[in-house]
Amino acid sequence: MNNKKALDVLVVGFALFSMFFGAGNLLFPPYLGLVSGDSWIISLSGFILTDIILALVVVMAAVKFDGDLDLTLSRAGKKFARAIIIASILCIGPLLAIPRNGATTYEMGIAPILGFESPIAKLIVSIVFFGLTLLLTIRPSKVVDIIGKFLTPALLLCLGLLIVMGIFTPIGDVSNTQLIENNLFAEGVEQGYQTLDTLAAVAFSTVAITAIAQRGYTDSKEKIKLTLQAGVISGIFLAVVYAGLTYLGSMLSTTYGADTPQATLMVIITNAILGKPGKIVLGIIVSLACLTTSIGLTSSTATYFSTISNGKVKYESIVIGVSVFSLVLANFGVSTIIQFSAPILQIVCPVLVAIIATTFLDKYISNDNVFKGVAYTTLLVSILSVGSSLFTLTQISNLLSKLPLAQYGFNWVLPAILGGVVGAFIKTKSDVRVNKKIG
């Protein structure tokens, strides 16, 4: 690989890292360390599975179809695929992830520096945050360069400083018992879902592919190769940072309880490691992490909806609308947004992952009903799981808990496979194989 190509891959990989590393990625790992004690590697493994590995799987599937999201999922049914993608884009966009990043910037980054919380201060921070998001997103061709060349190095420097100092100057003793009754791996799996990265990967893969193409790489196989290399680079950096943050959280497992708020936990960690300057360093980390993710998500959301409207709705108009809507929603606070997001994620994520996984067997499957069987069965199990939890339907919950892999948060896997098998025996009028994929 020549120097230019290596630099291009590194820049895109850095951009992907920062776009993935947002509010949840900073909040969840320390909390997993806290509740896991000396078993933090177990919960971290679950987190990495549903955050990094599933996200990379989605990226791999998307690049096969040159980033065409509808085409990637089309064999499950065009209308169904469009519905799942729109739900995913809205989750990672203005309904959940983007406002969550704005809210986290204030609650965890700015409020500790100010020493007080105020609705007026929150509104001012939101206006500045989404003003910057709008300013840095309005020109789509510059998004990856802005993030990859400038914002990511600054973010990694601050994160590295915090983690290295925490390792060499321990802030507490690691407990030899876990603080929660839940299976630690399953807890990591659930927290990994809530980062929204599996959904975000659907959109970020398009940004990465476009960025690679804009750098002059037009050969299909080369684009796939370079995009995947960028994805691996982002995954490696994410894994290292997650491990560091989880370990820092485990050092507080003997002094703090499982009821410690996630945002408060990061403030405690930075203050313990860096003292008073820790508030400023944390403020920089949070602001950069949330801003880069907000930029990536806003750009992805605007690109997708502009594309499916055939340009009738302009990219710039969507960026403005998303920024304003997210500004309003961000002022409801992180806890409210996270509480609202969990049920939606637990329904949409498994369906998306199930279809994506089946996509890798595309050339071996001629019957589209296999894809539909996998998709609809997974959707049914996900709805039943979330519904039984929300409405305390114990009989359904008990039945679902008996399914294989249920203790790890994957109770939908066996039903999805059975749904695909049943679908294989349902003949279609014609086999409509997806033949537009590249490579």
Side-chain angles (χ1 to χ4, degrees):
M1 184 184 293
N2 60 44
N3 291 337
K4 179 186 180 301
K5 191 176 293 186
L7 180 61
D8 288 339
V9 170
L10 187 63
V11 169
V12 176
F14 270 17
L16 279 173
F17 166 85
S18 281
M19 287 190 286
F20 279 125
F21 193 83
N25 309 72
L26 191 59
L27 288 169
F28 299 134
Y31 180 77
L32 287 175
L34 173 72
V35 300
S36 303
D38 62 2
S39 299
W40 60 272
I41 292 179
I42 297 175
S43 57
L44 174 65
S45 299
F47 186 81
I48 286 176
L49 174 62
T50 49
D51 180 79
I52 299 175
I53 294 177
L54 288 187
L56 289 179
V57 167
V58 172
V59 171
M60 288 171 64
V63 296
K64 286 174 60 181
F65 299 92
D66 206 18
D68 187 327
L69 304 182
D70 289 325
L71 187 59
T72 304
L73 307 184
S74 62
R75 295 193 64 189
K78 291 182 179 180
K79 291 182 179 178
F80 184 83
R82 177 65 61 84
I84 290 296
I85 293 168
I86 288 176
S88 301
I89 295 291
L90 289 177
C91 281
I92 64 170
L95 290 183
L96 302 173
I98 297 176
R100 185 175 73 179
N101 279 284
T104 301
T105 298
Y106 170 73
E107 293 182 22
M108 200 164 71
I110 305 302
I113 296 175
L114 296 176
F116 63 87
E117 292 195 15
S118 160
I120 300 299
K122 181 186 289 187
L123 178 61
I124 293 172
V125 170
S126 296
I127 291 172
V128 173
F129 180 88
F130 289 106
L132 287 171
T133 297
L134 173 60
L135 180 65
L136 298 173
T137 309
I138 204 72
R139 295 181 63 187
S141 62
K142 298 295 182 182
V143 169
V144 168
D145 282 336
I146 290 169
I147 297 176
K149 290 183 179 179
F150 305 107
L151 299 182
T152 303
L155 173 59
L156 283 172
L157 180 63
C158 293
L159 284 168
L161 172 67
L162 181 66
I163 292 170
V164 170
M165 289 190 66
I167 292 173
F168 286 100
T169 56
I171 57 178
D173 297 321
V174 179
S175 173
N176 56 11
T177 58
Q178 65 184 67
L179 304 184
I180 57 173
E181 295 182 1
N182 296 359
N183 178 287
L184 291 180
F185 187 85
E187 183 71 16
V189 166
E190 183 178 345
Q191 300 280 350
Y193 275 140
Q194 292 196 50
T195 63
L196 304 175
D197 283 348
T198 302
L199 300 184
V202 174
F204 289 163
S205 58
T206 303
V207 175
I209 292 167
T210 302
I212 291 293
Q214 287 172 345
R215 282 162 168 74
Y217 305 102
T218 55
D219 179 74
S220 296
K221 291 185 178 179
E222 189 172 38
K223 280 197 296 183
I224 291 176
K225 180 180 177 181
L226 297 182
T227 303
L228 293 179
Q229 287 175 346
V232 170
I233 288 173
S234 69
I236 291 171
F237 276 97
L238 285 168
V240 171
V241 170
Y242 291 156
L245 292 175
T246 307
Y247 179 62
L248 294 183
S250 72
M251 293 183 190
L252 299 178
S253 55
T254 56
T255 52
Y256 291 88
D259 58 346
T260 306
Q262 293 166 335
T264 303
L265 189 60
M266 273 305 299
V267 176
I268 294 170
I269 289 172
T270 51
N271 284 345
I273 295 172
L274 301 173
K276 290 184 179 180
K279 292 181 180 180
I280 297 175
V281 174
L282 179 61
I284 295 172
I285 291 173
V286 172
S287 299
L288 285 173
C290 293
L291 181 61
T292 52
T293 300
S294 180
I295 291 169
L297 292 174
T298 301
S299 177
S300 301
T301 301
T303 299
Y304 178 72
F305 284 110
S306 177
T307 300
I308 65 173
S309 71
N310 295 318
K312 293 178 182 177
V313 183
K314 299 297 182 185
Y315 170 90
E316 294 80 4
S317 301
I318 300 173
V319 168
I320 294 171
V322 167
S323 298
V324 172
F325 184 85
S326 300
L327 188 159
V328 173
L329 200 58
N331 283 271
F332 285 95
V334 175
S335 298
T336 302
I337 295 171
I338 290 177
Q339 184 179 8
F340 174 65
S341 70
I344 300 174
L345 297 175
Q346 290 166 6
I347 292 174
V348 176
C349 274
V351 178
L352 181 65
V353 171
I355 301 174
I356 290 289
T358 312
T359 298
F360 285 98
L361 301 174
D362 175 71
K363 65 181 180 180
Y364 303 109
I365 302 173
S366 60
N367 188 342
D368 286 353
N369 283 328
V370 173
F371 287 80
K372 293 175 182 178
V374 168
Y376 295 145
T377 305
T378 305
L379 178 63
L380 176 61
V381 173
S382 298
I383 291 174
L384 289 174
S385 296
V386 172
S388 62
S389 177
L390 288 177
F391 301 106
T392 321
L393 305 175
T394 54
Q395 289 183 327
I396 295 178
S397 295
N398 292 337
L399 179 62
L400 293 174
S401 68
K402 290 181 171 58
L403 290 171
L405 303 178
Q407 67 269 38
Y408 303 116
F410 291 98
N411 60 359
W412 51 270
V413 172
L414 180 60
I417 294 172
L418 293 176
V421 171
V422 172
F425 289 96
I426 302 175
K427 301 219 172 164
T428 55
K429 292 181 181 178
S430 61
D431 290 336
V432 184
R433 292 286 305 272
V434 175
N435 53 18
K436 295 183 183 179
K437 65 180 181 178
I438 62 175

